[in-house]
Amino acid sequence: MLKFLAKGEVSKGHCEDEPMEPILEDAVAGDVALINKLDVQCDLKKLGDTLKESLEREEKKKGKPAKKEDAKEVTQSQEREELGSGEPSRSVEVRATPQPGKGADLSKPPCRKAKEIRKERKRLKLMQQNPAGEPLGVQAQRGPKTEPQQPRSLEELIFESLPENASHKLEVRVVRSSPPSSQFKATMLESYQVYKRYQMVIHNHSPDEPTVSQVRLVPVSWEDAAFTSSFSQSLSLYVKYQVAVHRDPPEECGKTEFTGFLCTSPLEPENPPNGPDCGYGSFHQQYWLDGKIIAVGVIDILPYCVSSVYLYYDPDYSFLSLGVYSALREIAFTRQLHEKVPQLSYYYMGFYIHSCPKMRYKGHYRPSDLLCPETYVWVPIEQCLPSLENSKYCRFNQDPEAADEGRSKDPDRLRVFHKKAIVPYGVYRRQQQDPGEEAAVRQYASLVGQACAERMLLLRS
């Protein structure tokens, strides 16, 4: 990269005249040469002694004294062939001829291949250049040993300064993408063109292949442009889903039913400074594929949780398992919100009906808890399933002494909205004096609990 930026050169691989690893044969040349030289000297000395003894025996058999001149010449020939000069021995000058039928001619050295002789010459030469016998075969050819270069740090490699007349200039910018900054908007088209070309060349995508599948979070509000512009398409998808999946008659899936069921919410939108960027309230999470909506997940974003209300999808895409996919997307979305708002840490999937096959899928996501209907404590679903196999209704809390700690203890303190005024139920009861209504109010208080009864308003006309 640096060579390309500075000089415009493109590297084609390792340089051929600089091998990456030393040659093993040259690295050990000094030691091998020293051993071979000693072996040659030992063989020549042994050969000379053997020849001398053989000649003396022959002369004794003939009754003649051995010729000292011949032995002397053999010894001198050996001395002349001593390998002090570094050249290997090729022949030994011996005038005496052995008698026929005595085996191999011991006056001549054993036959050797020319290749082995050349190797021996090279080793002896390297040994002469390095009398100490150190294995410096490679260094003897390249020159004196140099100190190895210290490894460079990542910062030194990346931020190395370039010459002023560099052929290219590389600039790395960090641009905020969400919310999009002015720099991001200015370079959006150029960045998309690079992305599109990359997908076509590297991943072999066709030019007309859709590259964007979107999941949009749309507030349920008629004042929101995204909600109103997609309302007609979302309504058509809802009708198609209800008729195909739940077998509802088309007349029961009109605009009024759809609006009252999934568009009208009692939650007021809030955008506190310490809350998520999208705020709190009711939302439609739309799944767009190739420019059209194929699924919509209705969710409520609350201060402590994300509550999954409903999902409807295009039956033509049922092979995509959109129910499972949307649940996983909502779990991942909850985790993203948790990073921004730590107290928002739960994902609610709604009611779990064990006897209904369409509801059992909710128990496949772990870890998961079910709320005990009597003590209102969360119990791991693994502990609840055996009881649900035996009975449709059961108490999950195994402690017989446990009770609902948040139960209504003083119904007179619950708040009632009557005639545009908020009064405690004790005051309202004394004013109305209707014994038949007291049972309904007490049932309401037992269901919502003491804390909620004091925070909520019970409407009475």
Side-chain angles (χ1 to χ4, degrees):
M1 173 65 81
L2 294 176
K3 185 181 294 185
F4 172 74
L5 294 176
K7 301 180 181 180
E9 298 179 0
V10 180
S11 177
K12 295 183 179 180
H14 298 299
C15 184
E16 296 180 357
D17 57 351
E18 294 183 6
M20 297 300 292
E21 297 181 359
I23 301 175
L24 178 60
E25 181 179 342
D26 294 342
V28 298
D31 293 339
V32 175
L34 180 60
I35 295 173
N36 286 349
K37 180 179 179 182
L38 295 176
D39 291 342
V40 171
Q41 290 179 343
C42 293
D43 292 342
L44 290 176
K45 181 180 291 187
K46 183 177 181 181
L47 177 61
D49 296 339
T50 304
L51 288 175
K52 184 177 179 181
E53 295 176 358
S54 177
L55 291 174
E56 291 178 353
R57 286 195 301 270
E58 292 296 331
E59 291 297 332
K60 289 180 179 179
K61 289 181 181 180
K62 294 180 180 180
K64 297 179 181 180
K67 295 183 179 180
K68 297 182 180 181
E69 293 79 11
D70 294 341
K72 183 176 180 180
E73 289 177 0
V74 172
T75 306
Q76 291 176 353
S77 175
Q78 176 190 349
E79 294 175 353
R80 285 198 300 270
E81 294 297 327
E82 188 173 357
L83 299 179
S85 61
E87 290 290 333
S89 174
R90 297 185 181 181
S91 63
V92 178
E93 184 179 355
V94 181
R95 294 183 182 180
T97 304
Q99 295 297 324
K102 298 295 183 178
D105 190 355
L106 300 178
S107 64
K108 297 180 181 180
C111 296
R112 302 176 63 189
K113 294 184 179 180
K115 183 177 180 181
E116 295 180 357
I117 296 176
R118 290 195 299 269
K119 286 185 177 182
E120 185 174 325
R121 287 178 181 175
K122 183 178 180 181
R123 291 165 182 165
L124 293 175
K125 186 176 180 180
L126 291 175
M127 187 193 68
Q128 287 183 343
Q129 295 176 359
N130 182 27
E134 297 179 1
L136 299 177
V138 177
Q139 296 182 4
Q141 297 177 6
R142 295 188 180 181
K145 183 178 179 181
T146 58
E147 293 293 333
Q149 295 183 355
Q150 297 295 330
R152 303 169 64 186
S153 65
L154 178 62
E155 289 74 16
E156 291 175 346
L157 180 64
I158 296 297
F159 301 110
E160 180 177 353
S161 60
L162 298 175
E164 296 181 357
N165 58 344
S167 301
H168 301 276
K169 180 182 179 181
L170 175 66
E171 183 180 359
V172 180
R173 302 177 183 177
V174 179
V175 181
R176 180 179 294 278
S177 60
S178 179
S181 62
S182 58
Q183 285 183 320
F184 180 83
K185 294 178 181 179
T187 58
M188 175 64 184
L189 181 60
E190 187 176 359
S191 178
Y192 172 71
Q193 294 298 333
V194 173
Y195 167 77
K196 186 175 181 180
R197 186 161 181 242
Y198 169 82
Q199 294 295 119
M200 293 169 56
V201 175
I202 303 300
H203 297 291
N204 298 322
H205 287 184
S206 59
D208 55 348
E209 183 175 351
T211 57
V212 178
S213 60
Q214 298 176 332
V215 179
R216 304 178 186 176
L217 187 66
V218 179
V220 180
S221 173
W222 296 105
E223 299 178 357
D224 186 84
F227 178 78
T228 55
S229 62
S230 61
F231 177 81
S232 177
Q233 189 177 169
S234 183
L235 172 60
S236 301
L237 178 63
Y238 168 77
V239 174
K240 185 177 181 180
Y241 171 81
Q242 293 297 125
V243 173
V245 177
H246 294 290
R247 309 299 182 187
D248 291 350
E251 58 272 11
E252 296 182 3
C253 308
K255 179 180 178 180
T256 302
E257 288 77 13
F258 171 69
T259 304
F261 179 31
L262 299 175
C263 299
T264 302
S265 173
L267 301 178
E268 293 291 336
E270 296 183 9
N271 289 277
N274 59 343
D277 296 335
C278 58
Y280 299 123
S282 298
F283 297 84
H284 283 190
Q285 198 166 30
Q286 302 173 343
Y287 296 79
W288 290 73
L289 180 66
D290 300 340
K292 68 176 183 178
I293 302 176
I294 63 169
V296 176
V298 182
I299 61 175
D300 292 335
I301 301 179
L302 304 173
Y304 297 96
C305 69
V306 171
S307 177
S308 179
V309 179
Y310 199 69
L311 172 76
Y312 55 96
Y313 57 85
D314 191 337
D316 295 339
Y317 293 90
S318 58
F319 62 92
L320 294 177
S321 301
L322 292 172
V324 176
Y325 178 73
S326 64
L328 296 176
R329 287 293 300 240
E330 290 172 2
I331 293 173
F333 180 57
T334 305
R335 296 174 64 172
Q336 292 178 354
L337 296 178
H338 174 71
E339 295 180 359
K340 171 69 176 179
V341 185
Q343 65 181 10
L344 200 161
S345 54
Y346 295 100
Y347 172 66
Y348 286 90
M349 302 188 73
F351 289 106
Y352 176 80
I353 304 176
H354 189 70
S355 59
C356 178
K358 292 184 179 180
M359 287 287 188
R360 287 196 178 189
Y361 75 92
K362 298 180 181 182
H364 297 164
Y365 301 90
R366 308 292 174 87
S368 184
D369 298 330
L370 294 180
L371 187 67
C372 178
E374 296 182 4
T375 61
Y376 294 97
V377 295
W378 294 100
V379 181
I381 192 171
E382 295 84 356
Q383 302 178 17
C384 304
L385 293 180
S387 300
L388 291 174
E389 291 289 346
N390 299 325
S391 175
K392 294 182 179 180
Y393 177 85
C394 59
R395 172 191 172 107
F396 299 144
N397 194 331
Q398 301 299 323
D399 184 5
E401 303 296 332
D404 178 19
E405 296 182 356
R407 64 186 182 277
S408 177
K409 302 175 183 178
D410 188 0
D412 289 343
R413 295 177 56 185
L414 69 85
R415 304 169 71 187
V416 177
F417 186 76
H418 178 64
K419 293 184 179 180
K420 300 181 180 181
I422 301 175
V423 296
Y425 174 71
V427 176
Y428 171 80
R429 179 169 53 84
R430 288 192 295 270
Q431 293 177 353
Q432 298 298 320
Q433 296 182 356
D434 184 1
E437 191 178 41
E438 185 173 354
V441 174
R442 289 187 177 276
Q443 182 182 14
Y444 160 79
S446 64
L447 292 175
V448 301
Q450 187 68 35
C452 290
E454 296 181 12
R455 291 171 53 192
M456 299 169 59
L457 295 177
L458 178 61
L459 179 60
R460 282 294 180 262
S461 56

